Amino acid sequence: IIVILFLVYCAGTANSTTIIDKMLQLGATNADIGYKWTISGLVEIPVYIYGSFFLKRLGAYKLLSISSFTVMFQFILFGMSNSVSSMVLLSVFQIINGPMMMLASRILIYEFSSEKLKSTGLLLALSIYSGLSAFIMPSIGGTITNYFNVNTTIYIVAGIAGIGFLLSLVLKKMEFKK
């Protein structure tokens, strides 16, 4: 689960860096970047409010798979995008990416942690998958962008999220075989 979350959170980190690089390359203003973050934040609120509904309805494994796929798909669309306005509109995908991933990660890590280490497991896993991705992705993304271009970086990140999606399907299948 930590590997899957790490791969998908790498895309989340790239959303904060590489996507902004592309927006600037397309001529985005400070206001455009602000709109992107405003949309991302606003669309997450309803999912956090009704998160338990989605969790009960779909389950943590499906939420993980859906959000992993959506991150991958969003990055493919980011790579294909030719305008700042489309980049801003693609931020609507955050309605699925952020909150559903957060809910699924908490439930699954709690489930996989031993009884004596539930809290520690959550904190340790969070520091590994979010902290490590935040530490390495800006450097890796910047290096790839310098040597190739921003779209290459975006498509590589989509591939990384795609690997996370495929692994989420494997995890779900493994868990249901138990």
Side-chain angles (χ1 to χ4, degrees):
I1 188 72
I2 292 173
V3 171
I4 294 167
L5 292 169
F6 169 73
L7 294 171
V8 178
Y9 268 78
C10 282
T13 301
N15 196 354
S16 302
T17 56
T18 306
I19 299 307
I20 301 302
D21 288 344
K22 180 163 183 179
M23 289 179 70
L24 292 170
Q25 193 177 67
L26 291 172
T29 64
N30 290 340
D32 294 326
I33 294 168
Y35 296 144
K36 176 203 181 317
W37 290 117
T38 300
I39 289 170
S40 293
L42 286 177
V43 298
E44 286 183 354
I45 294 169
V47 179
Y48 279 122
I49 292 171
Y50 297 105
S52 63
F53 168 79
F54 293 111
L55 201 53
K56 287 176 190 170
R57 184 105 165 140
L58 300 170
Y61 290 99
K62 279 188 183 175
L63 284 181
L64 178 64
S65 295
I66 290 167
S67 58
S68 300
F69 177 82
T70 305
V71 169
M72 177 192 68
F73 186 64
Q74 179 187 35
F75 268 77
I76 291 169
L77 294 176
F78 275 142
M80 294 169 41
S81 180
N82 293 331
S83 71
V84 172
S85 58
S86 64
M87 299 284 288
V88 171
L89 285 175
L90 288 171
S91 298
V92 167
F93 276 95
Q94 198 63 28
I95 196 168
I96 298 170
N97 299 353
M100 287 191 179
M101 180 65 67
M102 185 71 67
L103 290 169
S105 69
R106 297 304 187 265
I107 297 299
L108 292 173
I109 291 168
Y110 188 81
E111 182 180 306
F112 285 114
S113 297
S114 72
E115 287 302 315
K116 295 179 181 177
L117 298 172
K118 295 288 187 190
S119 296
T120 304
L122 286 167
L123 291 173
L124 183 62
L126 177 65
S127 65
I128 292 170
Y129 69 77
S130 69
L132 193 58
S133 66
F135 179 70
I136 67 169
M137 278 311 289
S139 298
I140 291 172
T143 302
I144 295 169
T145 299
N146 283 339
Y147 281 101
F148 299 99
N149 60 50
V150 72
N151 279 340
T152 301
T153 306
I154 291 171
Y155 289 127
I156 288 171
V157 171
I160 290 168
I163 294 168
F165 167 65
L166 293 175
L167 289 175
S168 75
L169 297 177
V170 170
L171 178 69
K172 182 179 175 184
K173 188 179 250 186
M174 286 172 37
E175 193 58 27
F176 285 120
K177 283 185 178 181
K178 283 186 178 179

